[in-house]
Amino acid sequence: LKLPDNYFVFYYPILKLKKAPIELDIILILPTEVVCIVVLEGKNSDAFIGSGERFWLKKSGKDEKKILNPTINLNRMESILGQIFQQQNVELPIKKVILSRNGYIDYPGNSFNTEFVDTRKFPEWFLSLKSSHSPMKHMQFKAAQAILDLVQTTSYSRSSWDIGNEETNE
């Protein structure tokens, strides 16, 4: 699965907001929009039965399991990014996607501003993402920088690794 080079991908970033770390799901920053994605993973052909309630139902064969409603995370992401973008004067629309590459999503309600992409729609949806030929735009860089400014970084000094490698190479 390969995306164009003109996209920024934030894979479960942890942002520091008001001194508290907040983990988000996947964020794609395209030249013309931002896409927030919550992934529902499971076995092939699992079914995710949605509702407006706090929990959804995940059916895997005869097994059933409650999972947290993914729209809760999605709406939280949209709200956080909306506030960040407003503070930084970033003007890009935010789209929301609930994605299950190998399963089925059954959502009987009305999904305000949320796209459901399951195994039936995934190839077409991903192809449309890959076929974007728009060049990178200033607002896209501004959006990425606004997020990067708040990202919590966890890093380690490589000097201790390099010393360990030199000893094993002698």
Side-chain angles (χ1 to χ4, degrees):
L1 300 176
K2 193 172 181 185
L3 291 170
D5 291 340
N6 60 342
Y7 289 3
F8 291 104
V9 178
F10 290 88
Y11 190 75
Y12 298 98
I14 298 174
L15 304 185
K16 249 190 145 115
L17 299 172
K18 299 179 185 170
K19 298 184 181 181
I22 296 177
E23 184 175 352
L24 302 180
D25 286 74
I26 299 170
I27 303 168
L28 288 180
I29 303 179
L30 286 58
T32 56
E33 66 188 0
V34 175
V35 182
C36 298
I37 302 172
V38 171
V39 178
L40 299 176
E41 283 296 330
K43 298 178 190 141
N44 284 341
S45 301
D46 279 358
F48 298 91
I49 316 301
S51 71
E53 305 297 317
R54 183 159 173 77
F55 292 97
W56 282 21
L57 200 57
K58 175 184 172 184
K59 291 187 176 187
S60 184
K62 293 183 180 181
D63 297 334
E64 290 186 0
K65 179 182 175 187
K66 283 186 176 181
I67 61 168
L68 188 63
N69 183 339
T71 61
I72 294 170
N73 269 2
L74 213 48
N75 291 334
R76 186 171 131 256
M77 280 177 44
E78 179 188 39
S79 172
I80 289 169
L81 290 178
Q83 289 173 28
I84 293 168
F85 291 170
Q86 186 177 9
Q87 289 171 355
Q88 299 298 321
N89 297 318
V90 172
E91 295 176 17
L92 279 176
I94 299 173
K95 276 181 50 181
K96 300 182 289 185
V97 174
I98 295 176
L99 175 70
S100 178
R101 293 178 310 156
N102 61 352
Y104 297 91
I105 300 172
D106 181 19
Y107 188 81
N110 189 352
S111 58
F112 178 71
N113 197 21
T114 301
E115 185 177 2
F116 296 93
V117 178
D118 62 10
T119 192
R120 296 168 289 201
K121 286 178 66 181
F122 179 75
E124 173 188 320
W125 176 80
F126 195 72
L127 188 63
S128 73
L129 271 183
K130 285 173 45 173
S131 62
S132 168
H133 297 294
S134 179
M136 297 183 97
K137 303 223 186 304
H138 172 73
M139 200 55 72
Q140 181 186 17
F141 283 104
K142 201 170 173 180
Q145 189 63 55
I147 295 171
L148 284 170
D149 287 343
L150 298 170
V151 166
Q152 175 178 301
T153 303
T154 304
S155 62
Y156 302 96
S157 171
R158 290 188 68 182
S159 61
S160 61
W161 290 356
D162 293 340
I163 292 169
N165 287 341
E166 286 173 14
E167 292 171 1
T168 57
N169 290 341
E170 289 178 10

